[in-house]
Amino acid sequence: MDIFNKKVIFVGGKGGVGKSTSSVAIALEAAKRGYKTLLISTDPAHNIGHIFDKKIGGKIRSIAENLDALEIDPERETDIYIKNVKNNIKDTVQPTMMEEVHRQLDTAKASPGADEAALFDKLISIIIEESVHYDKLVFDTAPTGHTIRLLSLPELMGIWIEGLLKKRGKTQETYTRLLHDGEPVEDPIFDVLSERQNRFKQAREIMLDGEQTGFVFVLNPEKLPIIETKNAIEMLDQYHLHVRTLIINRVLPGDESGGFFQQRKEHEAPYLEEIKQTFHDKELIYVPFFPYDITTKEQLEEFSTYLKGEMS
């Protein structure tokens, strides 16, 4: 599989395995090939800015030729999300109730899942709207658990909204029959829910389309990353989101000598074999352990040479 054939690329993995470095290397290589690329961080840690030593923030910014970047701030997106909800309901709630409704919505900002719902809303907007302006969208996602919840939301939210629409439709039907002699009445909430359902459906179709979208997981040849990656892949499979490519990062080179490195290589060998056996149906890309931090464009390009060998 050639990941650079995909329009949308999600890069996930356990925290600390080199996920952001891999995302940046993929995006840089895509840009170098002439694709206009947008690199998006959904990870609250926002390592992209640190890697490029630039402040990126919540607005799209050019960081290299053919390459723009965006860091999504969940707190800011939650504020925008709640504000939009308030605007959507202002014509459907009695003025005497608005203060209480606003208070409840402001309280909801701190509830579990509020950030993820807002982040998901932003992700949908990017996939649908920015696809027109870019050849490639590369998402550097948060550590594994957050990624799974984020990527599973299209199906879960779609089912939830479908239920709300059915209930709303029955209520509207009863209301119309009893109070308006069968004459149809406008229902702005139903319209808003229908619009959101269509957006969820559109985003889900893109994410499920293997021709358009690719999922890459990064791991190290160690016990916990292997277990976490295996569990994540199995969970995403349940939502028909199939990870086809793994980047095995920080593999010790074979030319090291000395007691420590020999012992470390011996320790690493069974994990490399376990990766080979466990993920036998995946594309496996091996990246060596560099003797320095990957922080400059030149170092990132060196990192990406290992991706090119397998991905092109």
Side-chain angles (χ1 to χ4, degrees):
M1 183 189 76
D2 185 354
I3 199 67
F4 293 104
N5 286 336
K6 309 302 179 185
K7 173 87 174 182
V8 182
I9 303 165
F10 287 93
V11 182
K14 190 177 186 298
V17 296
K19 176 173 51 60
S20 294
T21 302
S22 299
S23 302
V24 173
I26 291 170
L28 266 176
E29 177 60 23
K32 191 175 179 181
R33 294 185 181 197
Y35 296 115
K36 189 175 182 185
T37 303
L38 178 61
L39 175 61
I40 308 105
S41 171
T42 68
D43 187 345
H46 292 319
N47 292 319
I48 293 175
H50 299 151
I51 291 173
F52 282 97
D53 196 24
K54 290 183 179 180
K55 183 174 177 59
I56 296 172
K59 292 186 178 181
I60 294 175
R61 175 178 176 178
S62 175
I63 55 174
E65 185 178 359
N66 286 330
L67 180 59
D68 295 345
L70 169 68
E71 293 178 336
I72 301 175
D73 180 355
E75 188 174 334
R76 178 176 177 270
E77 295 305 325
T78 303
D79 288 338
I80 294 171
Y81 183 74
I82 295 297
K83 184 178 179 180
N84 288 337
V85 173
K86 289 178 180 178
N87 288 333
N88 287 335
I89 66 171
K90 67 181 179 182
D91 295 327
T92 63
V93 177
Q94 294 181 0
T96 54
M97 293 291 295
M98 283 303 294
E99 185 177 345
E100 175 61 19
V101 170
H102 281 199
R103 189 184 70 80
Q104 293 287 346
L105 286 170
D106 289 336
T107 302
K109 285 197 294 186
S111 66
D115 280 1
E116 283 162 344
L119 188 61
F120 172 64
D121 216 49
K122 181 66 174 178
L123 182 143
I124 285 180
S125 296
I126 291 170
I127 290 176
I128 293 174
E129 294 158 17
E130 297 300 339
S131 290
V132 179
H133 307 294
Y134 292 92
D135 302 313
K136 307 289 177 187
L137 303 176
V138 180
F139 288 90
D140 174 29
T141 65
T144 309
H146 297 283
T147 301
I148 292 170
R149 288 195 293 273
L150 185 67
L151 296 180
S152 64
L153 277 175
E155 182 165 328
L156 298 176
M157 295 283 278
I159 294 170
W160 179 65
I161 283 194
E162 185 178 350
L164 286 179
L165 282 168
K166 286 181 179 177
K167 288 182 180 180
R168 192 75 191 178
K170 288 180 180 178
T171 302
Q172 186 181 21
E173 184 181 327
T174 302
Y175 185 72
T176 298
R177 187 174 63 250
L178 294 177
L179 301 180
H180 288 266
D181 298 324
E183 289 294 323
V185 293
E186 291 186 6
D187 185 351
I189 292 181
F190 187 89
D191 293 340
V192 168
L193 289 173
S194 295
E195 181 187 354
R196 289 183 67 76
Q197 183 188 45
N198 289 333
R199 286 171 66 82
F200 289 157
K201 182 180 179 183
Q202 189 177 349
R204 187 168 184 268
E205 286 175 352
I206 293 172
M207 292 170 68
L208 290 176
D209 184 353
E211 296 298 316
Q212 291 191 72
T213 303
F215 298 91
V216 179
F217 261 67
V218 184
L219 69 157
N220 301 147
E222 298 170 357
K223 181 177 181 179
L224 293 182
I226 293 172
I227 293 172
E228 189 166 309
T229 301
K230 181 176 181 291
N231 291 340
I233 289 174
E234 289 174 352
M235 291 185 69
L236 288 174
D237 278 341
Q238 295 175 19
Y239 295 99
H240 311 289
L241 302 169
H242 304 302
V243 178
R244 305 293 187 194
T245 301
L246 300 180
I247 296 174
I248 300 90
N249 190 29
R250 298 174 185 156
V251 178
L252 287 174
D255 57 353
E256 298 293 345
S257 59
F260 172 82
F261 285 104
Q262 184 60 38
Q263 187 176 352
R264 188 68 195 176
K265 285 289 290 182
E266 291 173 1
H267 177 78
E268 180 187 76
Y271 290 125
L272 289 172
E273 182 60 29
E274 184 178 352
I275 288 171
K276 185 178 177 181
Q277 296 297 325
T278 303
F279 307 111
H280 61 89
D281 58 338
K282 311 297 180 189
E283 178 187 32
L284 304 179
I285 298 167
Y286 296 90
V287 178
F289 202 147
F290 290 91
Y292 44 77
D293 290 340
I294 308 297
T295 57
T296 68
K297 186 178 178 182
E298 290 73 21
Q299 291 167 346
L300 286 163
E301 288 177 346
E302 182 181 359
F303 186 102
S304 71
T305 61
Y306 292 91
L307 308 182
K308 287 189 288 187
E310 298 290 334
M311 291 183 170
S312 57

